[in-house]
Amino acid sequence: MYLLKLIFRNAFRHKLRTALTILGIVIAVLAFGLLQTVVDAWYTGVNASSATRLITRNAISLIFPLPITYEDKIRHVPGVSTVSRSNWFGGIYIDKRNFFAQFATDAQPFFELYPEYHLAPDQMKAFVLDRKGCVVGRKLAQTYGWKLGDTIPLRGTIFPGNWEFVIRGIYEGAEAKTDESQFIFHWDYLNESIKKTSPRRANQVGIYLVGINDADRAAEISREIDAMFRNSLAETLTETEKAFALGFISMVEAIVAAIRIVSFVIIVIIMAVMANTMAMSARERTSEYATLKALGFGPVYVQTLIYGESLLIALSGGLLGIIATVPLVRGFGAVMVKLFPVFQFSPTTLAMQVGAVLVMGIVAAAVPAVRASRVRVAQGLRAIG
Amino acid sequence: MLAHEGPIVEIRGLSKAYQRGGQVVPVLTDINLDISAGDFIALMGPSGSGKSTLLNLIAGIDKPSGGSLRVGGLDIVALSETELADWRAGHVGFIFQFYNLLPVLTAFENVELPLLLTHLRARERREHVHAALSMVGLEDRISHYPSELSGGQQQRVAIARAIITDPTILVADEPTGDLDRVSAADVLGLLDQLNSELNKTIIMVTHDARAAEAAHRLVHLDKGVLLDGDGVGG
């Protein structure tokens, strides 16, 4: 109790110095939390991936399609439970800045493969019955103020023309990490329209989404699918959904790595500032530590005082920083919703912030604590604070 | 108090030297000195004479280069750092020139500090602190911080802290060095009272002749040597 009192009073002895140090820690912890959340946001697709889903695409490149005839063949591979198709549409809603993902797919198998997309049965029925119908994520609908029955015009880029879709369903994510910003419509509608405008591009699929029964057989099934189409005009590359998502991240890997490094550099910088604060405080109190030792208090007591003070300052700033991270992430996520559909402050980031704060408190006190505990009493008593 | 017959402090052939740039600088040379229980001794000498070093050695906050030093019959030179710290907590009361009170603690808390190393309960500690502060005439200042007290009052708090554990010896390094005449007289009066009424053994370093008058015995040092010859036998 007495020790805690002494630690607390020492920590707030130089109010301005302590306040500025705490402010620095708040900003550092806040920036660290935000940057880590940005990194997490890049990995949303990876984290949301399922081990029982495979993606089959053209082996040459994602931009080359696969024939629709592959679907049946894939479905008959042992271990495959469901097959769905998907084409990236890439349409523009009013303005280029209004970016969101649009996929042409087949309703029933798609929602079977993605049980984390919760769609009310009556909305599912309405979507299936309407050839021009579409289903949108809750966040996407919120962003543009869409509601059921609204007609959404999209200007095609990959598939030229003006397209109109009627919102028949709004899905909700099962978890916070589920992407609620997708726009899904019927592949048949797209294919029929292409048949009329550019028949050579019809009956082509961007990727096949393959559901399997046993995640442990993913590699084996992938090999089997790809072997089936070897030496064909469109060879396939099948991989897990996670590997597929990581492939996208690898394109911006350097940026993500840079963000991650910067977030840790911030912590190292504030750790140095904190160490400087503790070194100054300990040096000013050399005669006090010597007095305590003269009175019979051991080096461990002196070290505990310094470690305690350092941890108290670090935890004060860290706690405020963590508290401030929550609204900052929410606000940033709202502004950046088009770039980061899922922007969540994760428990992992929270744990990393707490860990960083603890390491900061301990490392900053290490050298001053050792020095103070080693100072000779007679020499320390002569020190001027 | 240690149960010991003979001098409370027994110094034989004590020497202390520092290493400075490869050179050995002697500070104390062949000191022989006995201090009896209940004595009030003033160590005097010019700056650099080694009087503070001798006091530090007696108080167990510095180690000699040679010779023997017994306090209450215990050879404190042979003690380890940890044993010395424990010994100091029970047997030495410190009074410093600049009081060395912890500025973030009140007068009460500063005086209570040495008692945290004892097994006394909070209530017992409180009683002891009140008694000690009452003895130095500062019971009405218990909740004051050092910055709210005058120099003389701070030194009296330091004296209360020094006597709170009922130590074997009180060591005072220039206790009046930072005080005005009136406050210095108060502090010296208090030390005299502790010596005469409580039979406390006091070893005081001073270069102030007026302060030295309060002591019952003067020991002069110059260039690390006792000027009064052999201090053995008191």
Side-chain angles (χ1 to χ4, degrees):
Chain A
M1 193 62 196
Y2 200 92
L3 186 69
L4 288 178
K5 188 161 60 180
L6 199 50
I7 287 170
F8 187 84
R9 289 187 193 168
N10 272 340
F12 295 97
R13 197 151 147 185
H14 292 284
K15 289 185 178 62
L16 181 63
R17 184 198 294 170
T18 304
L20 289 174
T21 306
I22 287 176
L23 180 67
I25 296 168
V26 170
I27 293 167
V29 169
L30 199 60
F32 178 77
L34 187 64
L35 292 176
Q36 283 298 323
T37 308
V38 168
V39 172
D40 282 351
W42 282 108
Y43 283 90
T44 298
V46 177
N47 295 331
S49 63
S50 164
T52 58
R53 287 196 291 255
L54 304 178
I55 307 289
T56 299
R57 64 175 175 90
N58 192 303
I60 298 170
S61 167
L62 194 58
I63 60 166
F64 294 106
L66 294 169
I68 187 70
T69 51
Y70 283 16
E71 186 173 305
D72 228 26
K73 291 177 183 170
I74 295 172
R75 189 174 290 120
H76 286 98
V77 171
V80 171
S81 58
T82 322
V83 181
S84 177
R85 64 192 84 140
S86 178
N87 280 53
W88 173 261
F89 184 69
I92 295 168
Y93 174 64
I94 304 172
D95 190 273
K96 273 185 182 174
R97 283 176 299 181
N98 299 330
F99 174 82
F100 51 87
Q102 304 134 21
F103 295 105
T105 185
D106 43 355
Q108 293 284 11
F110 180 83
F111 280 98
E112 270 174 40
L113 271 173
Y114 290 87
E116 62 266 39
Y117 293 173
H118 288 175
L119 184 64
D122 58 322
Q123 292 183 18
M124 182 68 186
K125 198 176 168 188
F127 174 50
V128 171
L129 291 174
D130 185 356
R131 202 172 61 94
K132 286 188 169 184
C134 69
V135 172
V136 299
R138 185 186 57 87
K139 271 191 188 168
L140 184 63
Q142 263 177 7
T143 305
Y144 296 106
W146 296 340
K147 54 188 187 302
L148 291 176
D150 283 358
T151 299
I152 310 302
L154 292 181
R155 182 156 44 88
T157 52
I158 303 168
F159 306 100
N162 291 318
W163 302 71
E164 283 193 344
F165 303 93
V166 180
I167 297 177
R168 294 300 178 196
I170 296 173
Y171 74 84
E172 287 188 13
E175 295 175 55
K177 65 180 182 184
T178 309
D179 184 357
E180 292 182 322
S181 65
Q182 298 208 22
F183 184 102
I184 297 151
F185 63 96
H186 295 292
W187 185 86
D188 287 340
Y189 174 45
L190 174 72
N191 197 46
E192 283 159 21
S193 306
I194 294 170
K195 274 180 184 170
K196 291 175 195 163
T197 54
S198 43
R200 286 181 64 190
R201 293 180 68 191
N203 296 324
Q204 303 284 323
V205 171
I207 55 169
Y208 285 105
L209 312 166
V210 182
I212 57 173
N213 296 319
D214 183 1
D216 292 338
R217 293 193 57 222
E220 184 191 335
I221 295 169
S222 299
R223 279 196 300 271
E224 228 168 296
I225 293 171
D226 294 341
M228 238 179 351
F229 306 111
R230 194 161 297 143
N231 298 322
S232 69
L233 280 175
E235 292 194 350
T236 60
L237 173 66
T238 305
E239 57 195 345
T240 58
E241 191 180 31
K242 187 173 189 173
F244 182 72
L246 279 170
F248 281 97
I249 291 175
S250 67
M251 297 176 199
V252 288
E253 203 175 6
I255 296 170
V256 176
I259 293 171
R260 206 190 288 271
I261 289 167
V262 167
S263 73
F264 285 106
V265 166
I266 289 169
I267 292 299
V268 172
I269 290 170
I270 195 64
M271 203 182 282
V273 172
M274 177 82 192
N276 184 49
T277 301
M278 287 314 300
M280 277 199 292
S281 298
R283 196 169 50 241
E284 286 168 2
R285 293 172 201 159
T286 302
S287 69
E288 290 170 34
Y289 298 140
T291 303
L292 284 170
K293 287 169 85 173
L295 294 178
F297 290 91
V300 174
Y301 192 88
V302 171
Q303 287 197 355
T304 309
L305 277 178
I306 296 172
Y307 274 112
E309 183 179 342
S310 182
L311 279 169
L312 178 63
I313 292 173
L315 286 171
S316 302
L319 187 67
L320 291 172
I322 289 168
I323 291 170
T325 306
V326 178
L328 182 75
V329 163
R330 199 172 294 152
F332 191 84
V335 173
M336 303 296 286
V337 70
K338 289 172 193 166
L339 184 60
F340 300 120
V342 177
F343 200 76
Q344 295 283 331
F345 180 45
S346 71
T348 311
T349 302
L350 172 65
M352 285 173 84
Q353 282 179 311
V354 173
V357 166
L358 290 175
V359 169
M360 200 187 297
I362 291 167
V363 170
V367 174
V370 169
R371 277 188 184 161
S373 66
R374 281 185 185 167
V375 74
R376 286 171 53 231
V377 179
Q379 188 186 355
L381 288 170
R382 285 194 295 269
I384 296 166
Chain B
M1 177 77 78
L2 295 176
H4 170 71
E5 286 180 13
I8 196 85
V9 177
E10 200 176 315
I11 298 169
R12 295 290 179 272
L14 196 75
S15 64
K16 175 73 181 176
Y18 292 111
Q19 287 273 357
R20 194 173 293 161
Q23 263 196 323
V24 178
V25 181
V27 181
L28 291 173
T29 309
D30 194 26
I31 304 289
N32 294 290
L33 180 67
D34 283 350
I35 300 169
S36 306
D39 213 347
F40 186 170
I41 181 170
L43 297 174
M44 294 194 73
S47 294
S49 60
K51 54 189 189 302
S52 287
T53 303
L54 180 58
L55 190 77
N56 290 343
L57 293 173
I58 295 169
I61 57 174
D62 204 353
K63 289 264 188 183
S65 306
S68 75
L69 171 52
R70 290 178 170 273
V71 179
L74 181 73
D75 179 9
I76 64 166
V77 177
L79 298 180
S80 68
E81 285 299 330
T82 311
E83 289 168 334
L84 260 180
D86 290 342
W87 175 78
R88 285 196 303 266
H91 299 289
V92 186
F94 288 91
I95 302 162
F96 304 101
Q97 180 178 357
F98 298 109
Y99 335 123
N100 287 50
L101 299 175
L102 267 63
V104 291
L105 299 181
T106 62
F108 180 95
E109 290 162 342
N110 265 293
V111 177
E112 190 187 16
L113 206 51
L115 293 180
L116 298 176
L117 296 169
T118 67
H119 298 296
L120 293 178
R121 291 177 179 181
R123 188 179 54 81
E124 293 168 309
R125 291 204 303 266
R126 198 162 47 243
E127 286 169 6
H128 279 67
V129 174
H130 277 289
L133 282 170
S134 171
M135 185 176 283
V136 299
L138 286 174
E139 213 182 358
D140 57 338
R141 296 280 192 275
I142 57 168
S143 56
H144 285 61
Y145 287 92
S147 59
E148 297 164 347
L149 299 170
S150 68
Q153 288 172 327
Q154 286 187 58
Q155 194 59 298
R156 282 193 277 159
V157 172
I159 292 171
R161 182 180 66 185
I163 61 171
I164 192 77
T165 54
D166 190 22
T168 309
I169 53 173
L170 281 178
V171 294
D173 193 355
E174 303 277 11
T176 58
D178 195 46
L179 300 176
D180 59 60
R181 273 175 71 173
V182 177
S183 299
D186 280 351
V187 165
L188 290 170
L190 197 53
L191 290 177
D192 185 54
Q193 188 189 343
L194 292 171
N195 175 250
S196 58
E197 292 179 14
L198 301 177
N199 203 33
K200 289 285 163 204
T201 307
I202 300 173
I203 306 159
M204 175 176 71
V205 160
T206 185
H207 59 256
D208 178 0
R210 263 197 302 270
E213 280 173 17
H216 302 157
R217 184 181 159 202
L218 299 180
V219 172
H220 289 92
L221 278 144
D222 192 20
K223 293 175 184 168
V225 179
L226 273 184
L227 291 184
D228 313 313
D230 202 343
V232 175

